[in-house]
Amino acid sequence: MPIAMVTRRMDQGQPATWVKSLLLLGALLFALLAFYPQQARANLDCSVANVNMDFGTAETGTDVVSWTCTIYSDNPANTTLCLSPGDPYPGTPDAPAMQNSTGTLLYYHLFRDPGLTQPLTPAEPATVPVSMPAGIGVTTGGTITIYGRIDPGQTVASGDYVGDFFNSVLGFIAEGSSECQSSIQVGDEIYTGRAGTFEATANREASCTISALGDADFGNVLQTDTNLSTSTQISVNCPVGTAYFIGLEPSNGNDDGAGVMAGSAGNSDTPGYQLRSASATGPIWGNSATETSVGNGVAGTGTGAADAISVFVTLPSTAFRPDSYSDVVTVNLNF
């Protein structure tokens, strides 16, 4: 109280009414301060840690989302907590996506169940029941598990991919509604959750596939034929922008693409052939290619689709006994 600071001197015999007034003023100020309203607080307040579906290098992912609720009420709380993704970027609600630094899109979907049959969408949020006793500052918590899958059949460049869901909600489902709301009123009480950003990340490593589209068949030849040629194709599918180098290795292990064919048992004749690229008179196609160098192989760059590459085989001479001859060539794809 400021009474100790008063230095006014009373004349003898003067009524001391001013002291009483000062005491009343101090009491009034105390009363006003005591009942000044504080900032309103939700009766049930729930929050969640950062939500991040990290696929890593896998095709599927799982995110265990931790939530916490605190009650400030003389009444117990019984409600349904929900987690709803918001507006995806990039992509659309029906086709959310992640993108790399060059803008290449990688599409994925989120689910509420490990069998990946129940989509996670704003209209179909993940839910968990919450029951809390009455109390002031009483806290409880739990988890909501969500699942993800990279859409199959995508061939994209290697690198890091990131996507977001903006306006995502950790909230409540009011009675008679299916919408996940960040705040609802239950009687005279307010339940408050959070709105925020949901992130999805992935890392794609370069992944290429290669297959043979058929045999290189010379058919029936005469012993007088010379300088015969035939061809076939191989199919290569690599992510957009991925450099690759292809080597061909005959069964005899020759790195210059010079192989030999074998006939039936007891036949010692071994017709020799040569593998070539571009044409029947093109460069030899051997097996010195590596992950960083074409060597005597063939180089290419992925388009994200299957690319057909021709292989030519020449047979300089047919001076061998009648029989069926064949060999197996191994295709080595380096990327």
Side-chain angles (χ1 to χ4, degrees):
M1 298 294 292
I3 296 175
M5 299 299 296
V6 175
T7 59
R8 178 178 174 182
R9 183 177 58 84
M10 290 190 297
D11 292 333
Q12 187 175 1
Q14 184 178 5
T17 56
W18 66 276
V19 176
K20 294 180 180 179
S21 298
L22 188 57
L23 288 171
L24 290 174
L25 179 59
L28 179 60
L29 287 173
F30 177 79
L32 290 174
L33 289 172
F35 292 98
Y36 189 84
Q38 296 180 345
Q39 184 177 0
R41 179 169 55 189
N43 301 101
L44 182 65
D45 184 74
C46 297
S47 61
V48 66
N50 290 337
V51 184
N52 179 17
M53 176 60 70
D54 183 11
F55 291 95
T57 59
E59 300 302 310
T60 59
T62 302
D63 187 18
V64 180
V65 181
S66 297
W67 57 266
T68 302
C69 290
T70 304
I71 193 169
Y72 304 92
S73 175
D74 293 331
N75 301 311
N78 296 288
T79 186
T80 299
L81 193 66
C82 55
L83 179 65
S84 170
D87 306 315
Y89 180 83
T92 66
D94 292 331
M98 296 171 279
Q99 64 181 349
N100 67 359
S101 59
T102 64
T104 300
L105 298 182
L106 179 64
Y107 293 94
Y108 67 102
H109 282 85
L110 301 176
F111 299 88
R112 294 170 288 148
D113 68 309
L116 308 179
T117 61
Q118 302 172 16
L120 176 66
T121 68
E124 301 169 299
T127 61
V128 61
V130 175
S131 296
M132 297 189 66
I136 303 300
V138 176
T139 298
T140 190
T143 60
I144 299 175
T145 304
I146 58 177
Y147 308 86
R149 179 178 63 201
I150 304 291
D151 293 357
Q154 300 180 84
T155 304
V156 297
S158 59
D160 294 323
Y161 288 77
V162 179
D164 293 294
F165 280 94
F166 295 103
N167 304 315
S168 299
V169 173
L170 174 79
F172 311 90
I173 296 180
E175 186 175 352
S177 172
S178 61
E179 180 184 0
C180 187
Q181 303 176 63
S182 59
S183 179
I184 64 172
Q185 183 164 350
V186 180
D188 294 331
E189 301 193 334
I190 300 298
Y191 294 176
T192 299
R194 297 289 186 275
T197 300
F198 183 130
E199 188 175 67
T201 57
N203 178 270
R204 298 291 90 177
E205 296 179 346
S207 177
C208 298
T209 60
I210 191 166
S211 60
L213 299 182
D215 296 332
D217 188 359
F218 287 98
N220 295 321
V221 300
L222 300 175
Q223 285 185 312
T224 56
D225 290 336
T226 57
N227 297 321
L228 298 178
S229 65
T230 187
S231 65
T232 186
Q233 290 184 320
I234 55 178
S235 175
V236 179
N237 191 330
C238 282
V240 176
T242 300
Y244 60 84
F245 307 101
I246 306 172
L248 298 182
E249 182 182 15
S251 64
N252 64 357
N254 185 279
D255 284 337
D256 292 323
V260 293
M261 293 181 282
S264 57
N267 182 357
S268 60
D269 286 355
T270 54
Y273 64 89
Q274 179 64 57
L275 300 170
R276 297 183 181 274
S277 63
S279 70
T281 57
I284 65 169
W285 191 340
N287 193 41
S288 64
T290 67
E291 292 182 7
T292 58
S293 173
V294 64
N296 60 6
V298 168
T301 302
T303 63
D307 297 320
I309 301 174
S310 295
V311 180
F312 297 87
V313 187
T314 58
L315 185 66
S317 172
T318 58
F320 43 82
R321 72 187 70 182
D323 203 346
S324 293
Y325 297 85
S326 64
D327 191 30
V328 175
V329 176
T330 300
V331 182
N332 294 309
L333 179 62
N334 306 278
F335 59 92

